Amino acid sequence: MNNQTLTINVNGKTYQVPPIPGETLSDLLRNRLKLTGTKIACEESECGACTVIMNGESVLSCSTPAIKANGKFILTIEGLAKFEKGELKLHPLQEAFIKNGAVQCGFCIPGQIMTAYALLQHQPSPTSAEIQHALKDTLCRCAGYPTIERSILEAADAVRTGKPVDNDPHVPTSSGGKVVGTAQARPDSVAKVTGAAIYTDDLEFEGMVYGAVRRAMVPHAFLKSINCDKARALPGVHAVMTAEDLPGEKNHGLVIYDWPILVGVGERVRYVGDALAIVAADSTDIAREAAALIEVEFDLQPVISDPVISRHPESTSLHANGNLLKHIKVRKGDVAEGFTQADVIMEEVFHTPSTDHLFMEPECSVAVPTKEGRMEVYVGSQIPYQDRLQVARALGWPEERVRIVGQLMGGGFGGKEDIAGQIHAALLAQKLGRPVKILWDRQESLLVHPKRHATQITVRLGAKNDGTLVSAQTELYGDTGAYASLGEKVLTRATTHSAGPYLIPNVHADCYAMYTNNPPAGAFRGFGVLQSAFAIESVMDMLAEKLGMDRIELRRKNALRVGSETSTGQVLRDSVGLVECIDKVKAEMVRVSGLEEKDLFKPRPVDGAKHLVRGWGFASAFKNTGLGGGADDCSGAHVELYADGKFEVRSAAAELGQGLVTVMQLVVCEELSQEPANVKVLVMDTDLTPNGGPTTASRQTYVTGNASRLAAIAFREHVTGAMAEKFDVSPDLIRFEGSGLQIGDQKLTFPQVYQELVAMGQKTMVEYEYHAPETKPLGVKGDMHVAFSFASQAAEIEVNTNTGEVKVVQVISANDVGKAINPVGLQGQVEGGVVMGVGHTLLEDFITENGVVITDHMSRYRIPSIMHTPKITSIVVEDPTSTGPYGAKGVGEIVLIPTPPAITNALYNITGLRLHNLPVDQEVVLQHIKTGQ
Amino acid sequence: MSIWKEYYQPRSIEEAVAVLSSSPAPSNIIAGGTDLMLDLNQGNHPPVNALIDITEIEELKTIDVVNSEIIIGACVTHNQIVKDQNVQNNADALIEACGLIGGPQVRNSATIGGNVAHALPAADGTIGLLSLNTEVEIASATGKRRIPITEFFVGPGRSILEGKAEFVTRFFVPLKKACQGSAFKRIMRAQGIALPILNNSVWIERDGDLIKEVRISIGPAGPTPFRAANTEALLRGEIFSDETIALAQQSILGEAKFRTSPRRATAEYRRQLVTELFRNTIIQAWQRTF
């Protein structure tokens, strides 16, 4: 009864292994059987990523002891597709997921597919409700839930009828391009649905050891002493390093080097996640045990946990230059004079909480020293070249000695821009001369990486009786936490967007980016604008009510248009699709609700359930594309032709699941008249791909899209020029076609073109470095940004007047994206943005108390599931920007920004409760319903 | 350090009792492990010397009807219960409670025995069993004994098994007779831990328009899963009407001890919720008596 052998059949193959105490089924599958398709995202039975089938039933392999599988049949994602006559035959679930674009970052996909597979075994014709019930605890942070549901319905049909899954992804496509604007599958999607896709934690290297970090776990203190003797003495430990052992730069940071790699004795601990020591050992368990054995003494200091208090003169300075990271100012016109013209002035104060990205894949880095004396770092990072710089400085090496090899990422959302384990892994690898992997568990991820800024935002808004906005004054406090990260940039965006997407002649905004002892705050999808949009869009509804004016009309009247000047003095020359977004959302609201315009925002009890009341809310937003503010926003791309006639496009821009690789592929296909299958994409390798800059600010479709397009054009011209000379034909008579190059009457296949180029001594690859149009820094008139995306959303919600519970029924989302290059990816962004917006409004709250993190597990920090997902109607508005590729601008962030105020405005319309903070607390809602307070 | 040293998979109750009695402390029974594995992994439960996995004991994995009872093995999973025809025909409250717990993956592993043995005051399955007048069978070295489920709990997370070489083996749920019905409902909160902020189960027997017998369980409404005995007494023999329900609602507010759970629900909110939740549950149960 105490088994000496564990016999397990996995995907039809029988394995016999000795049982290991403490081993879970997922450990066995991943570590010993090398079946890494099963993913680990939480290890607390919250997310479903590790789902496998055991004797026909779905189970969570991360919380199932491996020994329980003794004598059982296990099916994992690797076993779903079959090889038939040497060809991979995908299961209809896999086909439907690929075709519809349900696969984005891909990290949750094995769990989604296996959960769905189990459902279909029991219920071959599931209803939507049954699918939702089955997937209730299988989380997807890209949040393509509607597409996942649709894919399962289609796959069920295919399984039942034996007919293939249809080819239509059912998303709005665009017009004009041969390939651009058409629906295409992601280049990495087959690997992602079969479990073949490799993420960083799936990598193994000869002689690899495992790292762990000793964290301070106190929010504010001086480190008095540190003793690593017991850790070093633990069997299996290879190295323990403290600040004394750092060979190079002591700090890291994206803008300011203010974040200690390791806090040294006598130095200040500024938040719970500060690193004190790093350990490498034979296993992660031993490394963590050793880290826990390190003895530390602190001189505890009073904790500063509020940005407003942090600004008080008597507050302790957390950094040498004080607690004010930056005072950000926007000045336009004369607000005092503006307010004298106002008939109505609103003034309101709002608070937004910190939130976590909760990407499904926790951070993982593997550092591998090479024989040539270099360091390779395998990591899913949003800024590979920044990693290279920071790792090299920490090692005390020139940058070229470090190579960042970007891996598939299980989501980022801004949370993988800062250094996580890259430097620590590299330091240990440098010291030991062997590969080191550092994998954070979910708790470490929640404690350590930068969050969304918590803010306090005061809005003072003046309007004339006819609704014309005349003056806006805003004051923002942003909690940037212990270290700068991208705090200044994020809060600059919050400030410049704080008066909303409206033409206001007089604007005055002040923002104080404050250091505190909370976890650092940095980049997170929406980048400060989510917070300021919640404030301004709430005030816009309040103003409309005060004026007795229709809230949509108020927005439309003041909406930015071509020729308008923004708060920062930028005159918009093209691509301002806001009015179109507003009008189309309104028309759709009228259409789907069947209501008259005047009744759109009135509460409506649900038939047969009087305690359920529904109503609509509305909001608009804008969001910059690109870095702007005077930065040289550039990206490089290579386009190469290989001997086999295939093309490759390369850039070190990051693919986090958002679909950039598809954009790059389609753009090159368009310019070279190729099918997607003939163009490979390589990203995120600092040895092989040119710098694409940070993947942030909704910039990659625009910047790397332009770089890829221009590289393709340059390649075409290069080949055309070379062949014109060789064949003595006018370049006008040379044409790229799918199968080859038409040169006058002659046709060369691409392998032949390659041969000709080589024979002529001509290069087979071109390089293009794209620089976006120049922008001006804040405070200087002119273009602060190359483009803006615009959006409007209407949310219909349902309030349970017995319990205060709030449910989002449907969201209509119109986004002006300039041009939809990758409609399948766009649909994923729209769905994911709305669902993340629902999460930020109803669920998500990263709680700290006096600097101590309360929400340090996935069970405490909840993100939306399929059960929270509303019906989502996407309206694609294409008002092209002249400088974008085919007119395209960014979309990754705008899709989420209007959702919170659209929901809270609906809540007001139903209950009269005006929320000044997020998320919605059902208890507060019920209190208001019962007492009117 | 491994979270367990030895892992036993006994094939009989006797074997399980023997290994539990002989294993050096700390040693624990494990069934589905959905709670225990988390506690072990997160350090909320110290590493154990031995885990004794009782899910290979066949007689603990079945649902049988014997005489006037449904006998549910402790290692029956939540999904097994939800799909079982006998439970469906006899114990709506248990079906509803077990169907709401977790996702299918958790319901395929998590057992009803584990749900009860964990002894949380608002465990859905437990609250359902409580209203159904369930009896619990406990095995020890001296044999088996049956006790009413109400006597099983001693505090939050604590049961009469604490510190003893004993474990739960079976549950006995009376078969539904004519004019009887039950229901289970709960209210969740979007943020934070996925435990109900309030749940309620009602079993009721009708005699014409009169309430002949009723059992009401509520969680969390005290340190252990709560039976509203005073309210049950009040309802017995009364006509089922809005007025009666209103009296019962007041009575529940009088006897249930709601507390404030930080960041989840205040006592006051629970008091506001319970009246409507109870009303909906008892009406549902009543409708099922026809």
Side-chain angles (χ1 to χ4, degrees), chain A residues 605-634:
Chain A
V606 172
D607 283 346
K610 285 211 171 70
H611 64 292
L612 301 176
V613 185
R614 291 188 177 190
W616 288 92
F618 191 93
S620 292
F622 72 143
K623 175 70 182 65
N624 62 291
T625 292
L627 302 175
D632 176 16
D633 201 352
C634 81

mmCIF file of all heavy atoms in Angstrom, chain A residues 605-634:
data_model
loop_
_atom_site.group_PDB
_atom_site.id
_atom_site.type_symbol
_atom_site.label_atom_id
_atom_site.label_comp_id
_atom_site.label_asym_id
_atom_site.label_seq_id
_atom_site.Cartn_x
_atom_site.Cartn_y
_atom_site.Cartn_z
ATOM 1 N N PRO A 605 -36.450 47.294 -14.911
ATOM 2 C CA PRO A 605 -36.520 46.009 -14.205
ATOM 3 C C PRO A 605 -36.607 44.856 -15.209
ATOM 4 O O PRO A 605 -37.197 45.000 -16.276
ATOM 5 C CB PRO A 605 -37.807 46.102 -13.395
ATOM 6 C CG PRO A 605 -38.191 47.548 -13.406
ATOM 7 C CD PRO A 605 -37.622 48.139 -14.658
ATOM 8 N N VAL A 606 -36.000 43.736 -14.833
ATOM 9 C CA VAL A 606 -36.038 42.556 -15.695
ATOM 10 C C VAL A 606 -37.403 41.881 -15.541
ATOM 11 O O VAL A 606 -37.894 41.737 -14.429
ATOM 12 C CB VAL A 606 -34.901 41.590 -15.300
ATOM 13 C CG1 VAL A 606 -35.024 40.263 -16.035
ATOM 14 C CG2 VAL A 606 -33.546 42.239 -15.563
ATOM 15 N N ASP A 607 -37.989 41.488 -16.658
ATOM 16 C CA ASP A 607 -39.301 40.821 -16.620
ATOM 17 C C ASP A 607 -39.240 39.589 -15.731
ATOM 18 O O ASP A 607 -38.356 38.751 -15.887
ATOM 19 C CB ASP A 607 -39.714 40.384 -18.035
ATOM 20 C CG ASP A 607 -40.211 41.566 -18.845
ATOM 21 O OD1 ASP A 607 -40.476 42.627 -18.232
ATOM 22 O OD2 ASP A 607 -40.306 41.434 -20.079
ATOM 23 N N GLY A 608 -40.177 39.484 -14.821
ATOM 24 C CA GLY A 608 -40.257 38.289 -13.995
ATOM 25 C C GLY A 608 -39.246 38.259 -12.865
ATOM 26 O O GLY A 608 -39.203 37.292 -12.104
ATOM 27 N N ALA A 609 -38.418 39.268 -12.757
ATOM 28 C CA ALA A 609 -37.450 39.305 -11.650
ATOM 29 C C ALA A 609 -37.231 40.770 -11.278
ATOM 30 O O ALA A 609 -36.253 41.394 -11.670
ATOM 31 C CB ALA A 609 -36.134 38.641 -12.055
ATOM 32 N N LYS A 610 -38.178 41.279 -10.519
ATOM 33 C CA LYS A 610 -38.189 42.728 -10.263
ATOM 34 C C LYS A 610 -36.982 43.212 -9.471
ATOM 35 O O LYS A 610 -36.674 44.406 -9.473
ATOM 36 C CB LYS A 610 -39.485 43.098 -9.513
ATOM 37 C CG LYS A 610 -40.715 43.092 -10.400
ATOM 38 C CD LYS A 610 -41.719 44.125 -9.897
ATOM 39 C CE LYS A 610 -42.877 44.317 -10.869
ATOM 40 N NZ LYS A 610 -43.780 43.156 -10.918
ATOM 41 N N HIS A 611 -36.328 42.283 -8.767
ATOM 42 C CA HIS A 611 -35.162 42.714 -7.997
ATOM 43 C C HIS A 611 -33.930 42.892 -8.887
ATOM 44 O O HIS A 611 -32.913 43.378 -8.429
ATOM 45 C CB HIS A 611 -34.862 41.707 -6.879
ATOM 46 C CG HIS A 611 -34.484 40.351 -7.389
ATOM 47 N ND1 HIS A 611 -35.375 39.515 -8.031
ATOM 48 C CD2 HIS A 611 -33.300 39.705 -7.363
ATOM 49 C CE1 HIS A 611 -34.745 38.399 -8.369
ATOM 50 N NE2 HIS A 611 -33.499 38.487 -7.974
ATOM 51 N N LEU A 612 -34.034 42.497 -10.135
ATOM 52 C CA LEU A 612 -32.924 42.707 -11.066
ATOM 53 C C LEU A 612 -33.251 43.905 -11.951
ATOM 54 O O LEU A 612 -34.292 43.933 -12.610
ATOM 55 C CB LEU A 612 -32.711 41.465 -11.931
ATOM 56 C CG LEU A 612 -32.392 40.164 -11.180
ATOM 57 C CD1 LEU A 612 -32.295 38.996 -12.150
ATOM 58 C CD2 LEU A 612 -31.112 40.305 -10.359
ATOM 59 N N VAL A 613 -32.370 44.885 -11.950
ATOM 60 C CA VAL A 613 -32.612 46.093 -12.729
ATOM 61 C C VAL A 613 -31.442 46.311 -13.671
ATOM 62 O O VAL A 613 -30.284 46.237 -13.269
ATOM 63 C CB VAL A 613 -32.782 47.321 -11.805
ATOM 64 C CG1 VAL A 613 -33.158 48.553 -12.636
ATOM 65 C CG2 VAL A 613 -33.833 47.060 -10.748
ATOM 66 N N ARG A 614 -31.784 46.578 -14.919
ATOM 67 C CA ARG A 614 -30.740 46.797 -15.922
ATOM 68 C C ARG A 614 -30.682 48.253 -16.363
ATOM 69 O O ARG A 614 -31.683 48.969 -16.319
ATOM 70 C CB ARG A 614 -30.988 45.914 -17.153
ATOM 71 C CG ARG A 614 -30.770 44.447 -16.870
ATOM 72 C CD ARG A 614 -30.836 43.616 -18.126
ATOM 73 N NE ARG A 614 -30.551 42.216 -17.796
ATOM 74 C CZ ARG A 614 -30.336 41.267 -18.688
ATOM 75 N NH1 ARG A 614 -30.387 41.538 -19.973
ATOM 76 N NH2 ARG A 614 -30.074 40.039 -18.302
ATOM 77 N N GLY A 615 -29.531 48.649 -16.824
ATOM 78 C CA GLY A 615 -29.394 49.995 -17.364
ATOM 79 C C GLY A 615 -28.061 50.147 -18.078
ATOM 80 O O GLY A 615 -27.159 49.334 -17.913
ATOM 81 N N TRP A 616 -27.973 51.205 -18.858
ATOM 82 C CA TRP A 616 -26.774 51.456 -19.666
ATOM 83 C C TRP A 616 -25.918 52.567 -19.067
ATOM 84 O O TRP A 616 -26.425 53.456 -18.388
ATOM 85 C CB TRP A 616 -27.159 51.895 -21.082
ATOM 86 C CG TRP A 616 -27.734 50.830 -21.958
ATOM 87 C CD1 TRP A 616 -29.058 50.523 -22.118
ATOM 88 C CD2 TRP A 616 -27.014 49.932 -22.819
ATOM 89 N NE1 TRP A 616 -29.202 49.487 -23.021
ATOM 90 C CE2 TRP A 616 -27.964 49.112 -23.474
ATOM 91 C CE3 TRP A 616 -25.654 49.756 -23.103
ATOM 92 C CZ2 TRP A 616 -27.597 48.124 -24.390
ATOM 93 C CZ3 TRP A 616 -25.298 48.769 -24.022
ATOM 94 C CH2 TRP A 616 -26.263 47.964 -24.651
ATOM 95 N N GLY A 617 -24.656 52.530 -19.390
ATOM 96 C CA GLY A 617 -23.742 53.631 -19.091
ATOM 97 C C GLY A 617 -22.844 53.843 -20.288
ATOM 98 O O GLY A 617 -22.664 52.946 -21.115
ATOM 99 N N PHE A 618 -22.246 55.022 -20.362
ATOM 100 C CA PHE A 618 -21.493 55.406 -21.563
ATOM 101 C C PHE A 618 -20.190 56.077 -21.150
ATOM 102 O O PHE A 618 -20.141 56.783 -20.141
ATOM 103 C CB PHE A 618 -22.346 56.383 -22.386
ATOM 104 C CG PHE A 618 -21.820 56.660 -23.773
ATOM 105 C CD1 PHE A 618 -22.272 55.912 -24.841
ATOM 106 C CD2 PHE A 618 -20.892 57.671 -23.991
ATOM 107 C CE1 PHE A 618 -21.787 56.153 -26.127
ATOM 108 C CE2 PHE A 618 -20.401 57.916 -25.269
ATOM 109 C CZ PHE A 618 -20.861 57.157 -26.343
ATOM 110 N N ALA A 619 -19.149 55.864 -21.924
ATOM 111 C CA ALA A 619 -17.892 56.584 -21.687
ATOM 112 C C ALA A 619 -17.054 56.605 -22.960
ATOM 113 O O ALA A 619 -17.223 55.761 -23.839
ATOM 114 C CB ALA A 619 -17.092 55.933 -20.559
ATOM 115 N N SER A 620 -16.170 57.582 -23.020
ATOM 116 C CA SER A 620 -15.240 57.692 -24.149
ATOM 117 C C SER A 620 -13.825 57.811 -23.616
ATOM 118 O O SER A 620 -13.619 58.021 -22.416
ATOM 119 C CB SER A 620 -15.569 58.932 -24.992
ATOM 120 O OG SER A 620 -16.803 58.745 -25.646
ATOM 121 N N ALA A 621 -12.866 57.701 -24.510
ATOM 122 C CA ALA A 621 -11.475 57.824 -24.082
ATOM 123 C C ALA A 621 -10.568 58.034 -25.280
ATOM 124 O O ALA A 621 -10.976 57.830 -26.428
ATOM 125 C CB ALA A 621 -11.025 56.574 -23.331
ATOM 126 N N PHE A 622 -9.348 58.434 -24.989
ATOM 127 C CA PHE A 622 -8.296 58.444 -25.999
ATOM 128 C C PHE A 622 -7.005 57.970 -25.359
ATOM 129 O O PHE A 622 -6.894 57.906 -24.137
ATOM 130 C CB PHE A 622 -8.155 59.816 -26.674
ATOM 131 C CG PHE A 622 -7.552 60.929 -25.856
ATOM 132 C CD1 PHE A 622 -6.701 61.862 -26.458
ATOM 133 C CD2 PHE A 622 -7.843 61.087 -24.501
ATOM 134 C CE1 PHE A 622 -6.155 62.909 -25.737
ATOM 135 C CE2 PHE A 622 -7.293 62.127 -23.777
ATOM 136 C CZ PHE A 622 -6.446 63.050 -24.397
ATOM 137 N N LYS A 623 -6.090 57.562 -26.193
ATOM 138 C CA LYS A 623 -4.824 57.038 -25.688
ATOM 139 C C LYS A 623 -3.769 57.241 -26.757
ATOM 140 O O LYS A 623 -3.995 56.914 -27.923
ATOM 141 C CB LYS A 623 -4.968 55.540 -25.357
ATOM 142 C CG LYS A 623 -3.684 54.833 -24.933
ATOM 143 C CD LYS A 623 -3.207 55.276 -23.556
ATOM 144 C CE LYS A 623 -1.908 54.654 -23.104
ATOM 145 N NZ LYS A 623 -0.740 55.011 -23.900
ATOM 146 N N ASN A 624 -2.621 57.771 -26.318
ATOM 147 C CA ASN A 624 -1.531 57.984 -27.271
ATOM 148 C C ASN A 624 -1.018 56.670 -27.847
ATOM 149 O O ASN A 624 -1.029 55.637 -27.196
ATOM 150 C CB ASN A 624 -0.367 58.699 -26.583
ATOM 151 C CG ASN A 624 0.212 57.864 -25.440
ATOM 152 O OD1 ASN A 624 -0.447 57.686 -24.425
ATOM 153 N ND2 ASN A 624 1.405 57.346 -25.631
ATOM 154 N N THR A 625 -0.534 56.758 -29.082
ATOM 155 C CA THR A 625 0.237 55.671 -29.682
ATOM 156 C C THR A 625 1.693 56.106 -29.658
ATOM 157 O O THR A 625 2.011 57.213 -30.093
ATOM 158 C CB THR A 625 -0.199 55.456 -31.143
ATOM 159 O OG1 THR A 625 -1.520 54.949 -31.164
ATOM 160 C CG2 THR A 625 0.738 54.483 -31.858
ATOM 161 N N GLY A 626 2.547 55.259 -29.146
ATOM 162 C CA GLY A 626 3.984 55.546 -29.198
ATOM 163 C C GLY A 626 4.485 56.319 -27.994
ATOM 164 O O GLY A 626 3.717 56.840 -27.192
ATOM 165 N N LEU A 627 5.817 56.368 -27.889
ATOM 166 C CA LEU A 627 6.446 56.963 -26.713
ATOM 167 C C LEU A 627 6.194 58.463 -26.652
ATOM 168 O O LEU A 627 5.823 59.007 -25.613
ATOM 169 C CB LEU A 627 7.960 56.703 -26.742
ATOM 170 C CG LEU A 627 8.394 55.233 -26.797
ATOM 171 C CD1 LEU A 627 9.910 55.135 -26.939
ATOM 172 C CD2 LEU A 627 7.934 54.487 -25.553
ATOM 173 N N GLY A 628 6.421 59.154 -27.752
ATOM 174 C CA GLY A 628 6.183 60.585 -27.812
ATOM 175 C C GLY A 628 7.026 61.366 -26.819
ATOM 176 O O GLY A 628 8.029 60.872 -26.285
ATOM 177 N N GLY A 629 6.607 62.615 -26.591
ATOM 178 C CA GLY A 629 7.272 63.435 -25.592
ATOM 179 C C GLY A 629 8.730 63.745 -25.912
ATOM 180 O O GLY A 629 9.527 64.001 -25.022
ATOM 181 N N GLY A 630 9.095 63.665 -27.193
ATOM 182 C CA GLY A 630 10.458 64.011 -27.581
ATOM 183 C C GLY A 630 11.395 62.824 -27.683
ATOM 184 O O GLY A 630 12.545 62.973 -28.095
ATOM 185 N N ALA A 631 10.920 61.637 -27.278
ATOM 186 C CA ALA A 631 11.779 60.448 -27.377
ATOM 187 C C ALA A 631 11.968 60.064 -28.847
ATOM 188 O O ALA A 631 11.067 60.260 -29.653
ATOM 189 C CB ALA A 631 11.148 59.289 -26.614
ATOM 190 N N ASP A 632 13.135 59.529 -29.147
ATOM 191 C CA ASP A 632 13.360 58.982 -30.486
ATOM 192 C C ASP A 632 12.705 57.605 -30.515
ATOM 193 O O ASP A 632 13.247 56.643 -29.999
ATOM 194 C CB ASP A 632 14.867 58.884 -30.761
ATOM 195 C CG ASP A 632 15.145 58.230 -32.115
ATOM 196 O OD1 ASP A 632 14.207 58.144 -32.935
ATOM 197 O OD2 ASP A 632 16.293 57.810 -32.338
ATOM 198 N N ASP A 633 11.513 57.557 -31.097
ATOM 199 C CA ASP A 633 10.729 56.317 -31.057
ATOM 200 C C ASP A 633 11.084 55.495 -32.292
ATOM 201 O O ASP A 633 10.577 55.751 -33.385
ATOM 202 C CB ASP A 633 9.240 56.661 -31.042
ATOM 203 C CG ASP A 633 8.411 55.525 -30.492
ATOM 204 O OD1 ASP A 633 8.968 54.426 -30.260
ATOM 205 O OD2 ASP A 633 7.198 55.735 -30.285
ATOM 206 N N CYS A 634 11.970 54.532 -32.112
ATOM 207 C CA CYS A 634 12.456 53.847 -33.304
ATOM 208 C C CYS A 634 12.425 52.334 -33.151
ATOM 209 O O CYS A 634 12.354 51.801 -32.041
ATOM 210 C CB CYS A 634 13.859 54.334 -33.674
ATOM 211 S SG CYS A 634 15.166 53.587 -32.737
#
